[in-house]
């Protein structure tokens, strides 16, 4: 399409005016070139050049301001979009690190419980095995758990089980790698205990509730609310002095025990490889002296007895011999 066929076909510019405008623009350009020539320091146009530079500085700053503003705006927009992408990246990393944080917290709690259990050192020392436990309830009154240690680790029926707070129960069955623990709250649980304050004996009987019953207490007034209950060691099934709980009055008026083991979850426990008090004594202390030593000791005792008897006989004979002489005088 030709120019005359366009929207500007009706516009007519005088030829003389166009030529005049062109000449003026060319003259202005030449003057600016002459004035801005930095090499012509001794040029007669130096004053004019200085004036142009004085005026051109602020004018250039005014024209450069939009460029600077545009640069700042582009930097701001670029920073915004960069922040958005950075925020998305950080959110993805946070989502990836969330499971690791949960695992770290869980491991911290487990390690804290292990350290608490490892700090338990009964006197005299008893060998122990650490285990994890899971619930194994098979009835409305059954309170039992399975442990992941068994006969292969030296666990036997009757071994006491404790956690970092106190006595939990005892082993009632074992296999090579698994054992069954009966809790103190089970209806089949019977534990001889003592009251720490008065040293009175009693029997801790489970009834399926969270607080076992304290029965057959010896002595009137030997139990008060808040008394610490410990294992008595009677019968040889438990070591003496293992903490169990504190005494409290039940709703029915009977004495019950708030178990220390209920202060935390019973998922990590320690099995005390305790069978009887004989294992707590050094075998060398139970050995009898050799028979030769006994014979030597018997001979020395017999000789000493003979010497004492002979000495007494000689003194008696001397007194009898001296008695008549005294009487004649």
């Amino acid at each position: 399409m030709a120019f005359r066929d366009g929207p500007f076909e009706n516009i007519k510019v005088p030829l003389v005016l166009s030529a005049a405008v062109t000449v003026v623009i060319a003259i202005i350009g030449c003057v600016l070139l002459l004035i801005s020539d930095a090499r012509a320091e001794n040029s007669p146009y130096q004053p004019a050049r200085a004036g142009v530079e004085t005026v051109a500085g602020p004018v250039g700053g005014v024209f450069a301001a939009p460029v600077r503003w545009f640069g700042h705006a582009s930097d701001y927009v670029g920073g915004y979009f960069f922040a958005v992408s950075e925020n998305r990246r950080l959110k993805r990393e946070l989502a990836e690190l969330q499971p690791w944080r949960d695992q770290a917290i869980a491991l911290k709690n487990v390690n804290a419980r292990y350290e608490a259990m490892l700090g338990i050192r009964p006197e005299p020392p008893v060998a122990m095995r650490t285990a994890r436990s899971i619930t194994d309830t098979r009835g409305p009154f059954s309170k039992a758990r399975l442990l992941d240690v068994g006969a292969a680790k030296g666990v036997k029926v009757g071994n006491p089980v404790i956690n970092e707070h106190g006595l939990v129960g005892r082993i009632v069955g074992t296999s090579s790698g698994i054992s069954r623990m009966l809790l103190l709250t089970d209806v089949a649980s019977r534990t001889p205990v003592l009251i720490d304050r008065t040293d009175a004996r009693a029997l801790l009987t489970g009834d399926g509730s969270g607080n076992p019953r304290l029965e057959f207490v010896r002595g009137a007034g030997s139990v008060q609310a808040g008394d610490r209950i410990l294992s008595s060691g009677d019968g040889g099934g438990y070591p003496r002095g293992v903490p169990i709980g504190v005494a409290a009055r039940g709703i029915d008026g009977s004495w019950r025990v708030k178990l220390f083991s209920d202060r935390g979850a019973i998922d990590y426990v320690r099995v005390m490889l305790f069978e009887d008090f004989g294992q707590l004594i050094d075998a060398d202390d139970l050995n009898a002296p050799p028979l030769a030593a006994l014979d030597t000791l018997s001979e020395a005792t017999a000789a000493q007895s003979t010497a004492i008897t002979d000495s007494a006989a000689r003194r008696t004979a001397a007194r009898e011999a001296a008695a008549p002489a005294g009487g004649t005088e």
Side-chain angles (χ1 to χ4, degrees):
M1 182 178 63
F3 179 79
R4 62 177 179 271
D5 297 331
F8 304 102
E9 60 180 350
N10 296 325
I11 298 177
K12 297 179 180 180
V13 180
L15 181 60
V16 178
L17 181 61
S18 300
V21 172
T22 303
V23 172
V24 171
I25 293 174
I27 292 172
I28 293 174
C30 293
V31 171
L32 292 176
L33 289 175
L34 290 173
I35 294 175
S36 61
D37 187 6
R39 293 175 295 177
E41 297 179 357
N42 300 323
S43 174
Y45 303 105
Q46 183 64 28
R49 182 185 296 113
V52 171
E53 289 178 354
T54 302
V55 176
V59 174
V62 172
F63 285 106
V67 178
R68 292 195 301 270
W69 295 340
F70 180 78
H72 293 326
S74 63
D75 293 340
Y76 176 79
V77 173
Y80 173 78
F81 285 107
F82 175 77
V84 171
S85 62
E86 184 71 8
N87 187 28
R88 291 173 180 173
R89 185 184 64 84
L90 292 176
K91 285 183 177 180
R92 288 194 301 268
E93 292 184 358
L94 181 62
E96 294 175 357
L97 293 176
Q98 190 79 17
W100 290 98
R101 188 201 68 171
D102 297 339
Q103 293 180 13
I105 294 175
L107 288 176
K108 180 180 178 181
N109 295 333
V110 171
N111 289 335
R113 297 194 61 187
Y114 273 138
E115 290 176 359
M117 285 191 293
L118 290 175
I120 300 175
R121 294 182 175 86
E123 293 293 341
V126 178
M128 297 187 185
R129 294 290 182 270
T130 304
R132 295 191 63 178
S133 69
I134 59 175
T135 304
D136 181 39
T137 302
R138 298 190 178 182
F141 303 103
S142 178
K143 303 291 182 179
R145 286 176 174 264
L146 294 179
L147 308 183
D148 61 354
V149 295
K153 297 292 185 178
V155 178
K156 298 181 179 180
V157 174
N159 289 159
V161 182
I162 62 175
N163 64 0
E164 65 269 31
H165 301 295
L167 186 65
V168 177
R170 59 185 174 87
I171 301 297
V172 294
T174 61
S175 64
S176 177
I178 301 294
S179 58
R180 186 184 302 278
M181 172 183 63
L182 189 72
L183 299 179
L184 295 175
T185 55
D186 189 271
V187 293
S189 175
R190 301 291 186 273
T191 307
V193 298
L194 62 85
I195 292 83
D196 189 25
R197 181 178 57 87
T198 60
D199 201 33
R201 298 303 196 269
L203 190 67
L204 188 67
T205 303
D207 57 359
S209 65
N211 304 114
R213 190 186 302 271
L214 200 61
E215 297 180 340
F216 306 108
V217 181
R218 297 182 182 178
S222 57
V223 183
Q224 295 180 2
D227 284 344
R228 295 179 73 247
I229 308 300
L230 311 176
S231 62
S232 66
D234 295 339
Y238 296 89
R240 180 187 174 94
V242 179
I244 296 177
V246 294
R249 279 288 186 182
I251 299 177
D252 56 355
S254 62
W255 284 110
R256 293 183 176 271
V257 176
K258 296 180 180 179
L259 300 176
F260 290 143
S261 58
D262 286 344
R263 294 177 178 176
I266 311 175
D267 48 1
Y268 293 96
V269 296
R270 302 198 78 187
V271 181
M272 304 178 69
L273 306 184
F274 177 84
E275 299 179 32
D276 54 49
F277 291 101
Q279 73 181 93
L280 305 180
I281 303 175
D282 191 355
D284 296 336
D285 297 337
L286 298 178
N287 292 335
L291 294 178
L294 291 177
D295 294 341
T296 303
L297 180 62
S298 300
E299 292 176 358
T301 304
Q304 186 177 5
S305 300
T306 302
I308 294 174
T309 303
D310 294 343
S311 176
R314 286 194 297 270
R315 287 197 298 270
T316 302
R319 286 197 300 269
E320 291 177 353
T328 304
E329 292 177 358

